[in-house]
Amino acid sequence: MNKILIVEDDRALNQGIVLTFRQEDYEFTQCYTQSEARDYLSQMSFDLILLDVNLPDGSGLDLCMEIRQHLATPIIFLTANDLEVDVVTGFELGADDYITKPFSLMILRARVSAILRRSKQESSNKGLIIDHFEFNFDEMRFLKRKELVELSKTEQKLLKLLVQNQGIVLARSVLVDKIWTDGAEYVDENALSVTIKRLRNKLEDCPAKPKYIQTVYGVGYSWTVGKRG
């Protein structure tokens, strides 16, 4: 499921984009201001951001600069600013595409699909980079500060679920169901806790006070949002 953040104050257009993609494999988070976008970005990770330039509480160009300080998430600008200098500025600030209004929603869908396809190919080739970590699940190669970290198959499954859902709390029951899928009728209730502990020992600088793999008591676990490469 591709997760897309829409930052567009034109509510009709915002909803129109969602309806255009309704039969595709997309999950949308809709917001209408910079402030709302910052809140979502601090809590969740996205595969793509559709960003209006002229927002009620400031310029999307400024928000783009903020995002690029921490994230490499693809950004498509949606704007009525169609002068050449506006387009060039958008790309210089880190946009992956720049679509001027009015535009065809079908063309938008095609461009979104192309950028996501390219982004996933690039991610597959280089793996996922978060702060001083490099995780390549296809090659089963995991680095911490350029040093190789050996992970068991179970630890790899757990890590992948956590980093693919950065900032989202995953319930213990969900993690158990997705990790132990070998048809076993019974899974020791401590298995997840033991795997979490082993993963922390291998990845955290201070396992007793973890920075990344956080426990949300009574619910489950979450990988805190880090700086993605």
Side-chain angles (χ1 to χ4, degrees):
M1 182 72 70
N2 293 293
K3 298 179 180 179
I4 299 178
L5 176 66
I6 306 176
V7 191
E8 169 61 66
D9 66 314
D10 183 330
R11 293 179 179 269
L13 177 57
N14 198 316
Q15 188 60 29
I17 293 171
V18 174
L19 293 174
T20 299
F21 288 84
R22 64 185 180 278
Q23 295 180 336
E24 305 290 339
D25 188 27
Y26 297 108
E27 176 182 315
F28 287 97
T29 297
Q30 296 170 265
C31 60
Y32 309 93
T33 65
Q34 285 194 69
S35 178
E36 289 178 306
R38 290 190 185 96
D39 288 342
Y40 282 119
L41 288 166
S42 69
Q43 302 171 43
M44 305 168 62
S45 60
F46 297 93
D47 298 298
L48 179 76
I49 300 170
L50 298 177
L51 178 57
D52 185 16
V53 171
N54 300 308
L55 294 165
D57 55 347
S59 172
L61 298 174
D62 294 332
L63 181 58
C64 179
M65 285 193 292
E66 290 180 29
I67 293 171
R68 281 291 171 262
Q69 292 176 13
H70 305 285
L71 301 171
T73 307
I75 296 173
I76 298 178
F77 274 125
L78 308 177
T79 177
N81 301 347
D82 58 358
L83 295 179
E84 183 176 286
V85 65
D86 297 320
V87 178
V88 171
T89 298
F91 281 116
E92 287 180 342
L93 292 177
D96 295 84
D97 205 346
Y98 193 105
I99 302 177
T100 57
K101 301 174 183 177
F103 55 82
S104 161
L105 289 172
M106 293 300 101
I107 290 178
L108 173 63
R109 186 166 67 176
R111 292 196 181 183
V112 165
S113 178
I115 287 179
L116 286 173
R117 186 166 57 248
R118 185 181 69 207
S119 177
K120 289 185 182 300
Q121 180 62 44
E122 291 173 353
S123 295
S124 177
N125 291 338
K126 73 177 183 179
L128 178 64
I129 300 174
I130 305 174
D131 292 346
H132 51 264
F133 296 110
E134 296 178 43
F135 302 140
N136 192 315
F137 294 96
D138 291 335
E139 298 180 3
M140 292 185 290
R141 187 168 181 269
F142 309 95
L143 302 176
K144 175 183 177 182
R145 296 191 178 92
K146 305 301 181 181
E147 295 290 330
L148 192 64
V149 178
E150 295 291 341
L151 299 180
S152 70
K153 291 291 182 64
T154 301
E155 291 163 355
Q156 291 177 36
K157 287 182 180 179
L158 175 57
L159 177 62
K160 187 174 184 178
L161 286 168
L162 291 172
V163 298
Q164 285 184 336
N165 295 277
Q166 287 186 69
I168 300 173
V169 180
L170 298 176
R172 289 181 60 91
S173 59
V174 170
L175 290 170
V176 169
D177 287 344
K178 289 184 176 294
I179 295 170
W180 285 274
T181 56
D182 56 1
E185 294 184 3
Y186 175 75
V187 177
D188 189 312
E189 63 179 12
N190 291 320
L192 179 58
S193 298
V194 170
T195 307
I196 286 285
K197 182 177 180 181
R198 289 176 177 168
L199 199 56
R200 281 174 172 159
N201 287 337
K202 294 179 179 182
L203 299 179
E204 298 280 3
D205 290 335
C206 181
K209 296 180 179 179
K211 176 181 177 181
Y212 295 96
I213 305 173
Q214 297 290 319
T215 299
V216 181
Y217 292 99
V219 183
Y221 301 95
S222 173
W223 183 284
T224 59
V225 176
K227 180 180 179 180
R228 298 180 66 164

